[in-house]
Amino acid sequence: SGNITIPTGFAPVSTRMRISMAYDGAVNSCDSFDYGEVEDYTLVINSNCPDADADGVCDADDLCPGSDDNIDNNNNNIPDGCDILSVSFVVFLEGAMQTDGSMRTSLQSSGLIPNAHPYNNATYGHGPEFPTTAPSGVVDWVLVEARSGIPALSGGSAGTTKVEAHVGFLRSDGLIVHPITGGPLEFSNLDVGTNYYFAIRHRNHLDIMSTFAFSTNSSIIYDFSIAQTQAQGIEQLKNYTGSGGNIWTMYAGDYISDGVIQVTDYDEWQDDPSILQTYSRTDGNLDGTVQTTDFDTWLPNKAKLGSIEIQF
């Protein structure tokens, strides 16, 4: 018996190992003999370089660290774990609506939108990401989640589960954009060919989730504002009518961000109902001031239950 030493940096390979045993004599791989045995084995030699994701590729050479470089189900010559999915969503916030069909950008114009997103807390549990100054035309930060599973309303006993999430800026025209590039959001940890639902979260509006699950085989474009049925659940979008036409919006007034608009949200507002130049959850109409108009924003929605998929 003995040990086989693999040189550092040796590439993984499969080879044949032959064991020959001859009676009462020495033998090599090409000998012939009358008494003995010959056995062939497939020997898989793995590199002794670090390989944290166990895909047989040294960490230093990984195309896609953390995923298997050898899996490319969509045949685009990029490991599936490194595929980037572009997603574009259109959504409107009731509290920020203006009669022309756009949303006010008072928070941005007053310099009140923080450079760090507001979803890095116990409620949302989303870590730091893309700290940057909001450009002109931005309403607020939003959080977009990709969720796997079967929704409870469709018979899924466990409902959907968050798989990946990213923050974005919501523009006055309803488009959610990447905070740095200004283009679509990018998801890179989703399984190719798997279907995912997408949830949109905002810090003082009732969160929503897409009615449909989307395949990751191509980029996603989805407009929540065109019909009430675009959001999962019963009446999860509210109609706003102005000179810009009919637009379906997210319900305003979820001031404690728990997926239900109720008296506890009023209590949150009532604790300090008069604040100037503020970035506050109780600023329901997103004008930078907490006042009676934010109570008026909450009041029509005061008994609104969000879909179970978005509740905390």
Side-chain angles (χ1 to χ4, degrees):
S1 64
N3 297 321
I4 300 175
T5 301
I6 307 299
T8 301
F10 189 86
V13 67
S14 295
T15 187
R16 183 175 64 177
M17 180 178 69
R18 171 166 291 175
I19 299 177
S20 296
M21 297 175 289
Y23 175 74
D24 196 27
V27 65
N28 62 49
S29 59
C30 296
D31 272 352
S32 61
F33 42 83
D34 293 327
Y35 301 101
E37 185 175 356
V38 177
E39 296 178 354
D40 284 348
Y41 297 88
T42 297
L43 183 65
V44 179
I45 301 176
N46 289 318
S47 170
N48 65 350
C49 65
D51 180 18
D53 53 17
D55 63 353
V57 179
C58 297
D59 289 347
D61 300 320
D62 251 331
L63 295 175
C64 188
S67 298
D68 194 330
D69 277 12
N70 303 300
I71 299 177
D72 180 22
N73 290 327
N74 59 354
N75 300 312
N76 66 348
N77 297 316
I78 299 174
D80 288 348
C82 283
D83 275 327
I84 295 176
L85 174 68
S86 296
V87 299
S88 297
F89 293 104
V90 173
V91 67
F92 285 82
L93 305 177
E94 178 197 4
M97 292 301 295
Q98 303 179 115
T99 56
D100 65 356
S102 68
M103 289 179 286
R104 68 177 57 88
T105 58
S106 302
L107 294 177
Q108 183 276 325
S109 59
S110 298
L112 296 174
I113 298 178
N115 293 343
H117 71 80
Y119 303 102
N120 184 18
N121 54 45
T123 299
Y124 298 100
H126 189 70
E129 184 182 22
F130 305 131
T132 186
T133 302
S136 61
V138 165
V139 179
D140 201 358
W141 289 99
V142 293
L143 179 65
V144 179
E145 295 178 351
R147 304 182 67 88
S148 64
I150 301 174
L153 288 176
S154 300
S157 59
T160 59
T161 303
K162 180 177 69 175
V163 176
E164 184 177 357
H166 293 289
V167 292
F169 280 138
L170 177 63
R171 299 192 324 200
S172 61
D173 61 358
L175 185 64
I176 298 173
V177 298
H178 193 289
I180 304 298
T181 68
L185 295 185
E186 298 179 342
F187 285 72
S188 59
N189 295 313
L190 305 182
D191 294 331
V192 172
T194 299
N195 293 338
Y196 295 91
Y197 293 86
F198 283 83
I200 312 296
R201 298 191 184 275
H202 182 260
R203 60 195 176 90
N204 64 16
H205 281 64
L206 198 63
D207 300 334
I208 54 176
M209 190 176 79
S210 62
T211 301
F212 312 102
F214 300 91
S215 171
T216 57
N217 288 327
S218 61
S219 60
I220 295 171
I221 301 175
Y222 192 74
D223 189 346
F224 282 93
S225 72
I226 60 175
Q228 189 178 60
T229 53
Q230 291 292 89
Q232 178 83 211
I234 301 171
E235 297 181 357
Q236 295 298 294
L237 290 168
K238 184 176 181 178
N239 188 245
Y240 179 89
T241 302
S243 61
N246 291 325
I247 297 174
W248 292 92
T249 69
M250 293 171 64
Y251 281 87
D254 187 10
Y255 295 155
I256 63 172
S257 307
D258 63 353
V260 181
I261 301 176
Q262 56 184 326
V263 176
T264 51
D265 300 298
Y266 166 79
D267 294 340
E268 185 77 6
W269 171 83
Q270 180 64 26
D271 282 345
D272 199 347
S274 181
I275 315 173
L276 299 176
Q277 286 293 104
T278 183
Y279 184 78
S280 170
R281 289 190 303 179
T282 52
D283 176 20
N285 64 1
L286 305 178
D287 65 354
T289 301
V290 176
Q291 54 185 330
T292 304
T293 52
D294 302 304
F295 167 81
D296 295 339
T297 300
W298 164 84
L299 184 61
N301 304 329
K302 65 180 182 300
K304 187 63 188 174
L305 183 67
S307 166
I308 191 173
E309 302 299 329
I310 59 88
Q311 292 182 32
F312 290 103

